[in-house]
Each structure stands twice: as structure tokens, then as C-alpha cells.
Amino acid sequence: MNIQQPKFDLCQHITDRIIIALESGTVPWLKPWDSPDCNMALPRNAVSNRLYSGINTLLLWLATAENGYKQCKWITAKKANELGGYIRKGEKSTIVMNYRPDEREKLDDDGNVIYDEEGNPEMEQYFCINKHNLFNLDQCENLPAELFDPIPEPKPPKSEPNQYDIFADIRQIIKGMELKVEMKPSNRAFYQPSEDLVVMPEMTQFENAQAFHSVLLHEMAHATGAAKRLDREGITSGKAKFGNKVYAFEELIAEMGGAFLCAYLGFDTVPQNASYIENWIQVLRQDKRAIIRASGKAREACQYMLDVLSMAKYDVFEEAT
């Protein structure tokens, strides 16, 4: 008698991983920056050196923190074997999502192909989503030495190099976005879509300049959702009210977008809003694809700000020459 195994639900698996982390008090996008126990740099492919993004960044950060990996590089078992190495016995893979765009014929409600005026089938784009199993280089043996990064010596957070260069980059992003930022004595920071304005408490109200700028990055992530930028529902629809799903979803995007940008810039402080955790868990329980969509939107917000920074630096270079 053949017993059919239930089909693996990738979206549910990913959502369950994030919910378990949140319920245990671990927010996956808040990296333990100053921890010497693991390497929380942006995860990348060990062979191509390409960075992982979106939900895969969160899943690999989670696995790194849970297992104390010293490497931020990941590889498939097949590729490890091709390079003459192998995965140590008993090691478990980390499941991530592999998605690629594809095309298919457009169908009507009855399943019939839709044709255009010239008699050609109309095509539509969709994303093909598959499970992908990765292993950290710490789980491998006999791989070429050049694949491994040297393990950096831990440094106190306040001695991190180039923090003022990072602050300068943040100012360049603000300038490139043509975003207004106003500081005044206050106990809250917020983005006001109608004025395209970020309101921040004064810097002296924060523990240090890093804490100020990390909160600023969160509000800048919100600002990417303006109609003239990425036109996100949580910013432009007027439907976001404190405590509702649209509000919680937008906060999820800004939290992750700000954290992703911190990681790309090399920043060592990320703000956290623990008060939203219950709302996030509720949203994720009701929609197993919510975390995937939110992390995708966060990646777009981060990439938008990085593109603005790149263009701003290019413009400065052009003026200098």
C-alpha cells in the first residue's frame, strides 16, 4: 500500500520559520551585530559571490544565528561535490526560495488560450518558485581554501570604521530622494506622506549618532513608498491605520528595508519596534505569503535607496571632473 506524502508547502515552511523566531523573541532582520559568536554579514553564494536577497537573507541570517556559523557564504551539496568537497555527515540544509520569472500562455476563465488580434497567443509573466537547499561553508569539508573568508576579529561597536562615511551616504540618499527631514524636540519619529516629510527627534535625544541614523533609515524606508517613488499601498492608499493589517504590513516592510540598508552600508545599529511583533505574527498567520511579499517590497525599498546613492555619487564625480 502506497501512502502519499503531503506535498511540501514552501511558503508555509518559510512563514512558520519566521513566526517561530518572532514568538521566541528573535526578530530575523535584527542582526546581533556585535556578537563574536557568528558572522552576520550579508549572506552570499560561495562560488559566484553574489548576495542573496529578500526572504532568503532572513532565512540565512536565522540559520547563521542559530548555529553560530563563522562564514557568511553558502553552497549546494552538488556544487560542493563538484569542487571536490562534501557536506559533513549529519549536517542539515537551510531551505531557501529559488524564484525566477517565466512566461506562459494567457488563459480565460474556462482554461482556453487567449489570442491577440493577429492570432498569436497572449503571454503573461509569472514567477516559478522552487525549494533550494543550501549549506554554510562551516558545514563542509575539503573545499578549496580560497572559498573561505578570513574570520574577522570582533570589534567594539563604537570603534567601527567609516561610520561618518556611512552618515554621509545617508545624507546623500536623502538629497537624492529630495526628501525633507525636520528635527524637533519630540518623543516620536514618523514619515508624513502628505508633506513627503520625515520628522525626527533631535539628535541629542538619542544615545548616540548611530542610534539617531538607524531610526532615520527606518523612516526613509517608509518614504520610498511615496507615489513618486515606489507607490506602495501602505503609504499612498490612506488605508493604513494604527493596528490594522495595512499598517502592520507597511511597518514590516520598513523594518526589513531599514535593516537591509544598514547591512549594505555596513552599519552596526538597527532600531527595533517590539510593540509590532504581535501584529506581525497575526498578519503572517492569516497569509502564508505575507512575509515573502513584505521582504520583496523591503528589498525593493533598499535597492531604491542604494540606486539613489549610486546616482548621487556618480553626479558628484561628474561635477568634480
Side-chain angles (χ1 to χ4, degrees):
M1 178 179 177
N2 290 328
I3 300 176
Q4 189 171 6
Q5 294 294 323
K7 186 178 179 181
F8 182 80
D9 190 330
L10 179 58
C11 294
Q12 192 63 60
H13 169 82
I14 290 172
T15 297
D16 290 345
R17 286 278 288 133
I18 302 298
I19 289 176
I20 289 170
L22 289 173
E23 288 180 333
S24 69
T26 301
V27 182
W29 49 91
L30 296 181
K31 309 191 307 173
W33 301 85
D34 57 350
S35 172
D37 300 325
C38 53
N39 187 339
M40 298 302 286
L42 281 164
R44 59 180 67 236
N45 184 290
V47 179
S48 69
N49 221 31
R50 289 184 61 183
L51 293 171
Y52 293 98
S53 64
I55 191 66
N56 290 339
T57 299
L58 302 187
L59 294 171
L60 296 174
W61 270 345
L62 266 179
T64 298
E66 289 171 352
N67 296 285
Y69 295 139
K70 301 293 186 182
Q71 292 289 321
C72 65
K73 292 183 175 181
W74 298 78
I75 197 169
T76 63
K78 180 181 178 183
K79 183 57 70 174
N81 292 336
E82 289 175 359
L83 294 173
Y86 60 91
I87 310 301
R88 284 197 300 271
K89 187 175 180 180
E91 295 286 354
K92 293 184 178 180
S93 68
T94 297
I95 295 174
V96 298
M97 175 178 285
N98 182 25
Y99 47 96
R100 57 180 176 80
D102 208 340
E103 275 193 335
R104 61 187 172 195
E105 293 179 342
K106 203 171 185 178
L107 305 178
D108 61 22
D109 293 338
D110 297 322
N112 300 313
V113 177
I114 299 173
Y115 295 91
D116 60 24
E117 294 177 356
E118 298 177 357
N120 299 314
E122 290 188 13
M123 306 300 290
E124 64 180 0
Q125 278 200 331
Y126 73 102
F127 280 92
C128 184
I129 298 175
N130 295 304
K131 182 178 75 165
H132 205 50
N133 295 289
L134 295 177
F135 293 88
N136 189 277
L137 289 191
D138 278 357
Q139 299 175 275
C140 305
E141 296 285 355
N142 276 10
L143 286 175
E146 59 266 23
L147 289 183
F148 292 80
D149 283 334
I151 299 172
E153 292 293 325
K155 299 177 182 179
K158 290 185 180 179
S159 69
E160 284 289 329
N162 302 323
Q163 66 173 345
Y164 296 109
D165 290 342
I166 295 171
F167 299 159
D169 284 345
I170 294 171
R171 290 194 294 272
Q172 287 276 26
I173 296 171
I174 292 170
K175 182 179 178 181
M177 288 174 65
E178 297 181 344
L179 177 65
K180 292 178 286 185
V181 177
E182 180 180 296
M183 289 184 288
K184 61 182 181 181
S186 173
N187 61 357
R188 59 188 290 255
F190 60 92
Y191 170 64
Q192 190 172 325
S194 60
E195 302 292 329
D196 196 28
L197 168 69
V198 168
V199 177
M200 290 286 297
E202 293 183 327
M203 196 175 295
T204 54
Q205 294 180 250
F206 291 84
E207 182 180 355
N208 52 46
Q210 293 187 26
F212 171 87
H213 284 86
S214 65
V215 173
L216 177 59
L217 284 176
H218 175 95
E219 301 307 330
M220 289 164 60
H222 278 308
T224 64
K228 65 182 181 180
R229 298 185 185 106
L230 297 177
D231 195 14
R232 251 186 346 260
E233 180 189 23
I235 297 299
T236 60
S237 68
K239 296 178 182 177
K241 307 296 180 186
F242 185 81
N244 72 8
K245 292 179 187 176
V246 178
Y247 185 93
F249 192 73
E250 174 59 29
E251 283 298 329
L252 200 51
I253 294 169
E255 280 272 305
M256 289 188 284
F260 290 160
L261 189 60
C262 280
Y264 276 97
L265 294 178
F267 214 34
D268 65 355
T269 305
V270 181
Q272 51 184 305
N273 293 306
S275 59
Y276 294 128
I277 288 179
E278 281 303 318
N279 287 340
W280 291 334
I281 292 174
Q282 196 172 24
V283 168
L284 301 189
R285 286 195 187 284
Q286 293 173 354
D287 181 0
K288 65 183 179 182
R289 294 179 179 269
I291 188 63
I292 296 167
R293 294 201 316 275
S295 60
K297 297 287 185 185
R299 180 190 58 77
E300 289 175 2
C302 176
Q303 189 59 55
Y304 180 90
M305 290 186 281
L306 288 173
D307 288 345
V308 168
L309 176 61
S310 177
M311 186 59 67
K313 287 187 172 181
Y314 176 79
D315 287 345
V316 169
F317 176 77
E318 286 291 292
E319 288 176 8
T321 56

